[in-house]
Coordinates of all heavy atoms in Angstrom, one line a residue:
T14 N 13.8 -8.6 -11.1 CA 13.6 -9.8 -10.3 C 12.6 -10.7 -11.0 O 11.5 -10.2 -11.3 CB 13.0 -9.4 -8.9 OG1 13.9 -8.4 -8.3 CG2 12.8 -10.5 -8.0
C15 N 12.9 -11.9 -11.1 CA 11.9 -12.9 -11.7 C 11.1 -13.4 -10.6 O 11.6 -13.9 -9.6 CB 12.7 -14.0 -12.4 SG 11.5 -15.3 -13.1
V16 N 9.8 -13.3 -10.7 CA 8.8 -13.8 -9.7 C 8.4 -15.2 -10.0 O 8.1 -16.0 -9.1 CB 7.6 -12.9 -9.6 CG1 6.7 -13.4 -8.6 CG2 8.0 -11.5 -9.3
G17 N 8.5 -15.6 -11.3 CA 8.1 -17.0 -11.7 C 6.8 -17.0 -12.3 O 6.3 -16.0 -12.8
C18 N 6.2 -18.2 -12.4 CA 4.9 -18.4 -13.0 C 3.9 -18.5 -11.9 O 4.1 -19.2 -10.9 CB 5.0 -19.7 -13.9 SG 6.1 -19.5 -15.3
P19 N 2.7 -18.0 -12.2 CA 1.6 -18.1 -11.2 C 1.1 -19.5 -11.1 O 1.1 -20.3 -12.1 CB 0.6 -17.1 -11.6 CG 0.8 -17.0 -13.1 CD 2.3 -17.2 -13.3
P20 N 0.5 -20.0 -10.0 CA -0.1 -21.2 -9.9 C -1.3 -21.3 -10.9 O -1.8 -20.2 -11.2 CB -0.6 -21.3 -8.4 CG 0.2 -20.3 -7.7 CD 0.6 -19.3 -8.7
P21 N -1.8 -22.4 -11.2 CA -2.9 -22.6 -12.2 C -4.2 -21.8 -11.9 O -4.9 -21.3 -12.8 CB -3.2 -24.0 -12.3 CG -2.0 -24.7 -11.8 CD -1.3 -23.7 -10.8
H22 N -4.5 -21.6 -10.6 CA -5.8 -21.0 -10.2 C -5.6 -19.5 -10.1 O -6.6 -18.8 -9.7 CB -6.3 -21.6 -9.0 CG -5.4 -21.5 -7.8 ND1 -4.2 -22.2 -7.6 CD2 -5.4 -20.6 -6.7 CE1 -3.6 -21.8 -6.5 NE2 -4.3 -20.9 -6.0
I23 N -4.5 -18.9 -10.3 CA -4.2 -17.5 -10.2 C -3.9 -16.9 -11.6 O -3.0 -17.4 -12.3 CB -3.1 -17.2 -9.2 CG1 -3.6 -17.6 -7.8 CG2 -2.7 -15.7 -9.2 CD1 -2.5 -17.5 -6.7
Q24 N -4.5 -15.8 -11.9 CA -4.2 -15.1 -13.2 C -3.4 -13.9 -12.9 O -3.7 -13.2 -12.0 CB -5.5 -14.8 -13.9 CG -6.3 -16.0 -14.4 CD -7.5 -15.5 -15.2 OE1 -8.3 -14.8 -14.6 NE2 -7.6 -15.9 -16.4
I25 N -2.5 -13.6 -13.8 CA -1.7 -12.4 -13.7 C -1.8 -11.7 -15.1 O -1.6 -12.4 -16.1 CB -0.2 -12.7 -13.4 CG1 0.0 -13.4 -12.1 CG2 0.6 -11.4 -13.5 CD1 -0.3 -12.6 -10.9
R26 N -2.0 -10.5 -15.1 CA -2.0 -9.7 -16.4 C -1.2 -8.4 -16.1 O -1.1 -7.9 -15.0 CB -3.4 -9.3 -16.8 CG -4.3 -10.5 -17.2 CD -3.8 -11.2 -18.5 NE -4.7 -12.3 -18.9 CZ -4.5 -13.6 -18.5 NH1 -3.5 -13.9 -17.7 NH2 -5.4 -14.5 -18.9
I27 N -0.7 -7.8 -17.2 CA 0.0 -6.5 -17.0 C -0.9 -5.4 -17.7 O -1.3 -5.6 -18.8 CB 1.4 -6.6 -17.7 CG1 2.2 -7.8 -17.2 CG2 2.1 -5.3 -17.5 CD1 2.5 -7.7 -15.7
F28 N -1.2 -4.4 -16.9 CA -2.0 -3.3 -17.3 C -1.2 -2.0 -17.6 O -0.2 -1.8 -17.1 CB -3.1 -3.0 -16.3 CG -4.1 -4.1 -16.1 CD1 -3.8 -5.1 -15.1 CD2 -5.2 -4.2 -16.8 CE1 -4.7 -6.2 -14.9 CE2 -6.1 -5.3 -16.7 CZ -5.8 -6.2 -15.7
D29 N -1.8 -1.2 -18.5 CA -1.2 0.1 -18.9 C -0.8 0.9 -17.6 O -1.7 1.3 -16.8 CB -2.1 0.9 -19.8 CG -1.6 2.2 -20.3 OD1 -0.4 2.5 -20.0 OD2 -2.3 2.9 -21.0
A30 N 0.4 1.2 -17.5 CA 0.9 2.0 -16.3 C 0.6 3.5 -16.4 O 0.7 4.2 -15.5 CB 2.4 1.8 -16.1
E31 N 0.2 3.9 -17.7 CA 0.0 5.4 -17.9 C -1.5 5.7 -17.6 O -1.8 6.9 -17.5 CB 0.3 5.7 -19.3 CG 1.8 5.5 -19.7 CD 2.7 6.3 -18.9 OE1 2.4 7.5 -18.6 OE2 3.7 5.7 -18.4
A32 N -2.3 4.7 -17.4 CA -3.8 5.0 -17.2 C -4.0 5.5 -15.7 O -3.3 5.1 -14.8 CB -4.6 3.8 -17.4
P33 N -4.9 6.5 -15.6 CA -5.1 6.9 -14.2 C -5.8 5.8 -13.4 O -6.7 5.1 -13.9 CB -6.1 8.1 -14.4 CG -6.7 7.9 -15.7 CD -5.7 7.1 -16.5
L34 N -5.4 5.6 -12.1 CA -6.0 4.5 -11.4 C -7.0 5.0 -10.3 O -7.6 4.2 -9.6 CB -4.8 3.8 -10.7 CG -3.9 3.1 -11.6 CD1 -2.8 2.4 -10.9 CD2 -4.6 2.1 -12.5
E35 N -7.1 6.3 -10.1 CA -8.1 6.8 -9.1 C -9.5 6.7 -9.6 O -9.8 7.1 -10.7 CB -7.8 8.3 -8.8 CG -6.4 8.7 -8.5 CD -5.6 8.9 -9.7 OE1 -6.0 9.4 -10.8 OE2 -4.4 8.5 -9.7
N36 N -10.3 6.1 -8.8 CA -11.8 6.0 -9.1 C -12.0 5.3 -10.5 O -12.8 5.7 -11.2 CB -12.4 7.3 -9.1 CG -12.3 8.0 -7.7 OD1 -12.4 7.4 -6.7 ND2 -11.9 9.2 -7.7
I37 N -11.3 4.3 -10.7 CA -11.5 3.6 -12.0 C -12.7 2.7 -12.0 O -13.1 2.2 -11.0 CB -10.3 2.7 -12.4 CG1 -10.0 1.6 -11.3 CG2 -9.0 3.5 -12.7 CD1 -8.9 0.7 -11.6
A38 N -13.4 2.7 -13.1 CA -14.6 1.9 -13.2 C -14.3 0.5 -13.7 O -15.0 -0.4 -13.5 CB -15.6 2.6 -14.1
R39 N -13.2 0.4 -14.4 CA -12.7 -0.9 -14.9 C -11.2 -0.8 -15.0 O -10.6 0.3 -15.0 CB -13.4 -1.3 -16.2 CG -13.1 -0.3 -17.3 CD -13.8 -0.6 -18.6 NE -15.1 -1.1 -18.2 CZ -15.9 -1.8 -19.0 NH1 -15.5 -2.1 -20.2 NH2 -17.1 -2.2 -18.6
P40 N -10.5 -2.0 -15.1 CA -9.1 -1.9 -15.2 C -8.6 -1.2 -16.4 O -9.3 -1.1 -17.4 CB -8.7 -3.4 -15.3 CG -9.8 -4.2 -14.8 CD -11.0 -3.3 -15.1
P41 N -7.4 -0.6 -16.4 CA -6.9 0.0 -17.6 C -6.6 -1.1 -18.6 O -6.7 -2.3 -18.4 CB -5.6 0.6 -17.1 CG -5.3 0.2 -15.7 CD -6.6 -0.5 -15.2
S42 N -6.2 -0.7 -19.8 CA -6.0 -1.6 -20.9 C -4.8 -2.5 -20.6 O -3.9 -2.2 -19.9 CB -5.6 -0.8 -22.2 OG -6.7 0.1 -22.5
L43 N -4.9 -3.7 -21.2 CA -3.8 -4.7 -21.1 C -2.7 -4.2 -22.0 O -3.0 -3.6 -23.1 CB -4.3 -6.1 -21.5 CG -5.3 -6.7 -20.5 CD1 -5.8 -8.0 -21.2 CD2 -4.7 -7.0 -19.2
V44 N -1.5 -4.6 -21.7 CA -0.3 -4.3 -22.6 C 0.2 -5.6 -23.1 O 0.0 -6.7 -22.4 CB 0.8 -3.5 -21.9 CG1 0.2 -2.1 -21.4 CG2 1.3 -4.2 -20.7
P45 N 0.9 -5.6 -24.2 CA 1.4 -6.9 -24.7 C 2.5 -7.5 -23.9 O 3.2 -6.7 -23.1 CB 2.0 -6.5 -26.1 CG 1.5 -5.1 -26.4 CD 1.1 -4.5 -25.1
H46 N 2.7 -8.8 -24.0 CA 3.8 -9.4 -23.2 C 5.1 -8.8 -23.6 O 5.3 -8.4 -24.8 CB 3.8 -10.9 -23.6 CG 2.8 -11.8 -22.9 ND1 1.7 -11.3 -22.3 CD2 2.7 -13.1 -22.8 CE1 1.0 -12.3 -21.8 NE2 1.5 -13.4 -22.1
G47 N 5.9 -8.6 -22.6 CA 7.2 -8.0 -22.8 C 7.2 -6.5 -22.6 O 8.2 -5.8 -22.5
T48 N 6.0 -5.9 -22.3 CA 5.8 -4.5 -22.1 C 5.7 -4.3 -20.6 O 4.9 -4.9 -19.9 CB 4.6 -3.9 -22.8 OG1 4.7 -4.2 -24.2 CG2 4.4 -2.4 -22.6
M49 N 6.4 -3.3 -20.0 CA 6.3 -3.0 -18.6 C 5.0 -2.3 -18.3 O 4.5 -1.5 -19.1 CB 7.5 -2.0 -18.2 CG 7.6 -1.8 -16.7 SD 8.2 -3.2 -15.8 CE 9.9 -3.1 -16.2
G50 N 4.4 -2.7 -17.2 CA 3.1 -2.1 -16.8 C 2.8 -2.5 -15.4 O 3.7 -3.0 -14.6
I51 N 1.6 -2.2 -14.9 CA 1.2 -2.5 -13.5 C 0.7 -3.9 -13.5 O -0.1 -4.3 -14.3 CB 0.1 -1.5 -13.1 CG1 0.6 -0.1 -13.0 CG2 -0.5 -1.9 -11.7 CD1 -0.4 1.0 -12.7
I52 N 1.2 -4.6 -12.5 CA 0.8 -6.1 -12.3 C -0.6 -6.1 -11.7 O -0.9 -5.5 -10.7 CB 1.8 -6.8 -11.4 CG1 3.2 -6.8 -12.0 CG2 1.4 -8.2 -11.1 CD1 4.3 -7.3 -11.1
G53 N -1.4 -6.9 -12.4 CA -2.8 -7.2 -11.9 C -3.0 -8.6 -11.6 O -2.4 -9.5 -12.4
T54 N -3.7 -9.0 -10.6 CA -3.9 -10.4 -10.3 C -5.4 -10.6 -10.0 O -6.1 -9.7 -9.5 CB -3.0 -10.9 -9.2 OG1 -3.2 -12.3 -8.9 CG2 -3.3 -10.1 -7.9
R55 N -5.9 -11.8 -10.3 CA -7.2 -12.2 -9.8 C -7.2 -13.7 -9.6 O -6.4 -14.5 -10.1 CB -8.3 -11.8 -10.8 CG -8.4 -12.6 -12.1 CD -9.6 -12.2 -12.9 NE -9.6 -12.8 -14.2 CZ -10.5 -12.5 -15.1 NH1 -11.4 -11.6 -14.9 NH2 -10.4 -13.0 -16.3
G56 N -8.2 -14.1 -8.8 CA -8.3 -15.5 -8.3 C -8.9 -15.6 -7.0 O -9.3 -14.5 -6.4
P57 N -9.0 -16.7 -6.4 CA -9.6 -16.9 -5.1 C -8.9 -16.1 -3.9 O -9.4 -15.9 -2.9 CB -9.6 -18.4 -4.8 CG -8.6 -18.9 -5.7 CD -8.5 -18.0 -6.9
H58 N -7.6 -15.7 -4.2 CA -6.9 -15.0 -3.2 C -7.1 -13.5 -3.1 O -6.7 -12.9 -2.1 CB -5.4 -15.2 -3.4 CG -4.9 -14.6 -4.7 ND1 -5.4 -15.0 -6.0 CD2 -4.2 -13.5 -5.0 CE1 -4.8 -14.3 -6.9 NE2 -4.1 -13.3 -6.3
V59 N -7.9 -13.0 -4.1 CA -8.1 -11.5 -4.1 C -9.3 -11.1 -3.2 O -10.3 -11.7 -3.3 CB -8.3 -11.1 -5.6 CG1 -8.7 -9.6 -5.6 CG2 -7.1 -11.3 -6.4
M60 N -9.0 -10.2 -2.4 CA -10.1 -9.7 -1.5 C -11.1 -8.9 -2.2 O -10.8 -8.3 -3.3 CB -9.5 -8.8 -0.4 CG -9.0 -7.5 -0.9 SD -8.3 -6.5 0.5 CE -8.1 -4.9 -0.3
S61 N -12.3 -8.9 -1.7 CA -13.4 -8.1 -2.4 C -13.5 -6.7 -1.7 O -14.2 -5.8 -2.3 CB -14.7 -8.8 -2.2 OG -15.0 -8.9 -0.8
G62 N -12.8 -6.5 -0.7 CA -12.7 -5.1 0.0 C -12.4 -5.3 1.4 O -12.3 -6.4 1.9
Y63 N -12.2 -4.2 2.1 CA -11.9 -4.2 3.5 C -13.1 -4.6 4.3 O -14.2 -4.1 4.0 CB -11.4 -2.9 4.0 CG -10.0 -2.5 3.4 CD1 -9.8 -1.3 2.9 CD2 -9.0 -3.4 3.4 CE1 -8.5 -0.9 2.4 CE2 -7.7 -3.1 2.9 CZ -7.5 -1.9 2.5 OH -6.3 -1.5 1.9
W64 N -13.0 -5.5 5.3 CA -14.1 -5.9 6.1 C -14.7 -4.8 6.8 O -14.1 -4.0 7.6 CB -13.6 -7.0 7.1 CG -14.7 -7.5 8.0 CD1 -14.9 -7.2 9.2 CD2 -15.6 -8.5 7.6 NE1 -16.0 -7.9 9.7 CE2 -16.5 -8.7 8.7 CE3 -15.9 -9.2 6.4 CZ2 -17.5 -9.6 8.7 CZ3 -16.9 -10.1 6.4 CH2 -17.7 -10.3 7.5
N65 N -16.0 -4.6 6.6 CA -16.8 -3.5 7.2 C -16.3 -2.1 7.0 O -16.6 -1.2 7.7 CB -17.0 -3.7 8.7 CG -17.8 -4.9 9.0 OD1 -18.8 -5.3 8.3 ND2 -17.5 -5.6 10.1
R66 N -15.5 -1.9 5.9 CA -14.9 -0.6 5.6 C -14.9 -0.5 4.1 O -13.8 -0.1 3.5 CB -13.5 -0.5 6.2 CG -13.5 -0.4 7.7 CD -12.1 -0.2 8.3 NE -11.1 0.2 7.4 CZ -9.8 -0.2 7.5 NH1 -9.5 -1.1 8.4 NH2 -9.0 0.3 6.6
G67 N -16.0 -0.7 3.4 CA -16.0 -0.7 2.0 C -15.5 0.6 1.4 O -14.9 0.6 0.3
G68 N -15.8 1.7 2.1 CA -15.4 3.0 1.6 C -13.9 3.2 1.6 O -13.3 4.1 1.0
D69 N -13.2 2.4 2.4 CA -11.7 2.5 2.5 C -11.0 1.5 1.5 O -9.8 1.5 1.4 CB -11.2 2.1 3.9 CG -11.7 3.1 4.9 OD1 -11.9 4.3 4.5 OD2 -11.8 2.7 6.1
T70 N -11.8 0.7 0.7 CA -11.2 -0.2 -0.2 C -10.5 0.6 -1.3 O -11.0 1.5 -1.8 CB -12.3 -1.1 -0.8 OG1 -12.9 -1.9 0.2 CG2 -11.7 -2.1 -1.8
P71 N -9.2 0.2 -1.6 CA -8.5 1.0 -2.6 C -9.2 0.9 -4.0 O -9.8 0.0 -4.3 CB -7.1 0.2 -2.7 CG -7.1 -0.6 -1.5 CD -8.5 -0.9 -1.1
P72 N -9.1 2.0 -4.7 CA -9.7 2.1 -6.0 C -9.1 1.1 -7.0 O -9.7 0.8 -8.1 CB -9.5 3.5 -6.5 CG -8.4 4.0 -5.7 CD -8.4 3.3 -4.4
T73 N -7.9 0.6 -6.7 CA -7.3 -0.4 -7.6 C -7.8 -1.8 -7.4 O -7.4 -2.7 -8.1 CB -5.8 -0.4 -7.4 OG1 -5.5 -0.6 -6.1 CG2 -5.2 1.0 -7.9
T74 N -8.8 -1.9 -6.5 CA -9.5 -3.2 -6.4 C -10.8 -3.1 -7.2 O -11.6 -2.3 -6.8 CB -9.8 -3.5 -4.9 OG1 -8.6 -3.5 -4.2 CG2 -10.5 -4.9 -4.8
N75 N -10.9 -3.8 -8.3 CA -12.0 -3.5 -9.2 C -12.9 -4.8 -9.3 O -12.5 -5.9 -9.6 CB -11.5 -3.3 -10.6 CG -12.6 -3.2 -11.6 OD1 -13.7 -3.0 -11.2 ND2 -12.3 -3.3 -12.9
H76 N -14.2 -4.5 -8.9 CA -15.2 -5.6 -9.0 C -16.4 -5.1 -9.8 O -17.4 -5.8 -9.9 CB -15.6 -6.0 -7.6 CG -14.5 -6.6 -6.8 ND1 -14.2 -7.9 -6.9 CD2 -13.6 -6.0 -6.0 CE1 -13.1 -8.1 -6.2 NE2 -12.7 -7.0 -5.6
S77 N -16.3 -4.0 -10.4 CA -17.5 -3.4 -11.1 C -17.9 -4.2 -12.4 O -19.1 -4.2 -12.7 CB -17.3 -1.9 -11.5 OG -16.2 -1.8 -12.4
D78 N -16.9 -4.8 -13.0 CA -17.3 -5.5 -14.3 C -17.2 -7.0 -14.1 O -17.2 -7.8 -15.0 CB -16.4 -5.1 -15.4 CG -14.9 -5.5 -15.2 OD1 -14.6 -6.0 -14.1 OD2 -14.2 -5.4 -16.2
G79 N -17.2 -7.5 -12.8 CA -17.0 -8.9 -12.5 C -15.6 -9.4 -12.8 O -15.4 -10.6 -12.7
G80 N -14.7 -8.5 -13.1 CA -13.3 -8.9 -13.4 C -12.5 -9.3 -12.1 O -11.6 -10.1 -12.2
D81 N -12.8 -8.7 -11.0 CA -12.1 -9.0 -9.8 C -10.6 -8.9 -9.9 O -9.9 -9.6 -9.3 CB -12.4 -10.5 -9.3 CG -13.9 -10.6 -8.9 OD1 -14.5 -9.6 -8.7 OD2 -14.4 -11.7 -9.0
W82 N -10.1 -7.9 -10.7 CA -8.7 -7.7 -10.8 C -8.3 -6.8 -9.6 O -8.9 -5.8 -9.4 CB -8.4 -7.0 -12.1 CG -8.5 -7.9 -13.3 CD1 -9.5 -8.0 -14.2 CD2 -7.5 -8.9 -13.7 NE1 -9.3 -9.0 -15.1 CE2 -8.1 -9.5 -14.8 CE3 -6.3 -9.3 -13.2 CZ2 -7.4 -10.6 -15.4 CZ3 -5.6 -10.3 -13.8 CH2 -6.2 -11.0 -14.9
M83 N -7.1 -7.1 -9.0 CA -6.5 -6.3 -8.1 C -5.2 -5.8 -8.7 O -4.4 -6.6 -9.1 CB -6.2 -7.0 -6.7 CG -5.4 -6.0 -5.8 SD -5.3 -6.7 -4.1 CE -6.7 -5.9 -3.4
L84 N -5.1 -4.5 -8.8 CA -3.9 -3.9 -9.4 C -2.9 -3.7 -8.3 O -3.2 -3.1 -7.2 CB -4.2 -2.6 -10.1 CG -5.2 -2.7 -11.2 CD1 -5.4 -1.4 -11.9 CD2 -4.8 -3.8 -12.2
M85 N -1.7 -4.3 -8.4 CA -0.7 -4.2 -7.4 C 0.1 -2.9 -7.4 O -0.1 -2.1 -8.4 CB 0.3 -5.3 -7.5 CG -0.3 -6.7 -7.8 SD -1.6 -7.1 -6.5 CE -0.6 -7.5 -5.2
N86 N 0.8 -2.6 -6.5 CA 1.7 -1.4 -6.5 C 3.1 -1.7 -7.0 O 4.1 -1.3 -6.4 CB 1.7 -0.7 -5.1 CG 2.2 0.7 -5.1 OD1 2.1 1.4 -6.1 ND2 2.8 1.1 -4.0
D87 N 3.1 -2.5 -8.0 CA 4.4 -3.0 -8.6 C 4.3 -2.9 -10.1 O 3.3 -3.2 -10.7 CB 4.7 -4.4 -8.2 CG 4.9 -4.6 -6.7 OD1 5.6 -3.8 -6.1 OD2 4.4 -5.5 -6.2
L88 N 5.4 -2.6 -10.7 CA 5.6 -2.7 -12.2 C 6.2 -4.0 -12.5 O 7.0 -4.6 -11.8 CB 6.5 -1.6 -12.7 CG 5.9 -0.1 -12.7 CD1 7.0 0.8 -13.1 CD2 4.7 0.0 -13.5
G89 N 5.9 -4.5 -13.7 CA 6.4 -5.7 -14.2 C 6.1 -6.0 -15.6 O 5.4 -5.2 -16.2
Y90 N 6.5 -7.1 -16.1 CA 6.2 -7.6 -17.4 C 6.2 -9.1 -17.5 O 6.7 -9.8 -16.6 CB 7.1 -7.0 -18.5 CG 8.5 -7.5 -18.4 CD1 8.9 -8.6 -19.2 CD2 9.5 -6.9 -17.6 CE1 10.2 -9.0 -19.2 CE2 10.8 -7.4 -17.6 CZ 11.1 -8.4 -18.3 OH 12.4 -8.9 -18.3
I91 N 5.5 -9.6 -18.5 CA 5.5 -11.1 -18.7 C 6.4 -11.4 -19.9 O 6.2 -10.8 -20.9 CB 4.1 -11.6 -19.0 CG1 3.1 -11.3 -17.8 CG2 4.1 -13.1 -19.3 CD1 1.7 -11.6 -18.0
H92 N 7.4 -12.2 -19.7 CA 8.3 -12.6 -20.7 C 7.5 -13.2 -21.9 O 6.7 -14.1 -21.7 CB 9.4 -13.5 -20.2 CG 10.5 -13.6 -21.2 ND1 10.4 -14.5 -22.2 CD2 11.7 -13.1 -21.2 CE1 11.6 -14.4 -22.9 NE2 12.4 -13.6 -22.3
P93 N 7.7 -12.7 -23.1 CA 7.0 -13.2 -24.2 C 7.1 -14.7 -24.5 O 6.2 -15.3 -25.0 CB 7.4 -12.4 -25.4 CG 8.4 -11.4 -24.9 CD 8.7 -11.7 -23.5
R94 N 8.2 -15.3 -24.2 CA 8.4 -16.7 -24.5 C 8.2 -17.6 -23.3 O 7.6 -18.7 -23.4 CB 9.8 -17.0 -25.1 CG 9.9 -16.5 -26.6 CD 11.2 -16.7 -27.1 NE 12.2 -16.0 -26.3 CZ 13.1 -15.3 -26.7 NH1 13.3 -15.1 -28.0 NH2 14.0 -14.6 -26.0
S95 N 8.7 -17.3 -22.1 CA 8.7 -18.2 -21.0 C 7.4 -18.0 -20.2 O 7.1 -18.9 -19.3 CB 9.9 -17.9 -20.1 OG 9.8 -16.6 -19.4
E96 N 6.7 -16.9 -20.4 CA 5.4 -16.6 -19.6 C 5.8 -16.3 -18.1 O 4.9 -16.3 -17.3 CB 4.4 -17.7 -19.7 CG 3.9 -17.9 -21.1 CD 2.9 -16.8 -21.5 OE1 2.1 -16.4 -20.7 OE2 3.1 -16.4 -22.7
K97 N 7.1 -16.2 -17.8 CA 7.4 -15.9 -16.4 C 7.2 -14.4 -16.1 O 7.3 -13.6 -17.0 CB 8.9 -16.2 -16.1 CG 9.1 -17.7 -16.1 CD 10.5 -18.0 -15.7 CE 10.7 -19.5 -15.6 NZ 12.1 -19.9 -15.4
I98 N 6.8 -14.1 -14.9 CA 6.6 -12.7 -14.5 C 7.9 -12.1 -13.9 O 8.5 -12.7 -13.1 CB 5.5 -12.7 -13.3 CG1 4.3 -13.5 -13.7 CG2 5.1 -11.2 -13.0 CD1 3.5 -13.1 -14.9
Y99 N 8.2 -10.9 -14.4 CA 9.3 -10.2 -13.9 C 8.8 -8.9 -13.2 O 7.9 -8.2 -13.8 CB 10.3 -9.8 -15.0 CG 11.0 -11.0 -15.5 CD1 10.5 -11.9 -16.5 CD2 12.3 -11.4 -15.0 CE1 11.1 -13.0 -16.9 CE2 12.9 -12.5 -15.5 CZ 12.4 -13.3 -16.4 OH 13.0 -14.4 -16.9
S100 N 9.3 -8.6 -12.1 CA 8.7 -7.5 -11.3 C 9.8 -6.5 -10.9 O 10.9 -6.9 -10.6 CB 8.1 -8.0 -10.0 OG 7.7 -6.9 -9.2
S101 N 9.5 -5.2 -11.0 CA 10.3 -4.2 -10.4 C 9.5 -3.6 -9.3 O 8.5 -2.9 -9.5 CB 10.5 -3.1 -11.5 OG 11.2 -2.0 -11.0
V102 N 9.8 -4.0 -8.1 CA 9.0 -3.7 -6.9 C 8.9 -2.2 -6.6 O 9.9 -1.5 -6.7 CB 9.6 -4.4 -5.7 CG1 8.8 -4.1 -4.4 CG2 9.6 -5.9 -5.9
G103 N 7.7 -1.8 -6.4 CA 7.5 -0.4 -5.9 C 7.2 0.6 -7.0 O 8.1 0.8 -7.9
V104 N 6.0 1.1 -7.1 CA 5.6 2.1 -8.0 C 5.4 3.4 -7.2 O 5.0 3.3 -6.0 CB 4.4 1.8 -8.8 CG1 3.8 2.9 -9.6 CG2 4.6 0.5 -9.6
P105 N 5.7 4.6 -7.7 CA 5.4 5.7 -6.9 C 3.9 5.7 -6.4 O 3.0 5.2 -7.1 CB 5.5 6.9 -7.9 CG 6.5 6.4 -8.9 CD 6.2 4.9 -9.0
T106 N 3.7 6.2 -5.2 CA 2.4 6.1 -4.5 C 1.3 6.7 -5.5 O 1.5 7.7 -6.0 CB 2.4 6.9 -3.2 OG1 3.4 6.3 -2.4 CG2 1.1 6.8 -2.5
M107 N 0.2 5.9 -5.6 CA -0.8 6.3 -6.5 C -1.8 7.2 -5.7 O -2.1 7.1 -4.6 CB -1.6 5.1 -7.0 CG -0.7 4.2 -7.8 SD -1.6 2.8 -8.5 CE -0.9 1.5 -7.5

């Protein structure tokens, strides 16, 4: 499924799907365009955590390095020439 291109104020990157995501201190490594991985996003739309429930915030929400990346529960890749995002919805529960 082609999701399209993100708006200018939203960043999308693809992260290594093989990296463990539990209790991560920073996002896993980026993968090259055209490589399937976990979709990560950052921008003003990303939450900093659950309201008054910081302990319940998913470990895939990373703010430890100022990166503010939220790793989605979807696999996808960025097309090397068009920069469009392609997504394969749903990754096995982490």
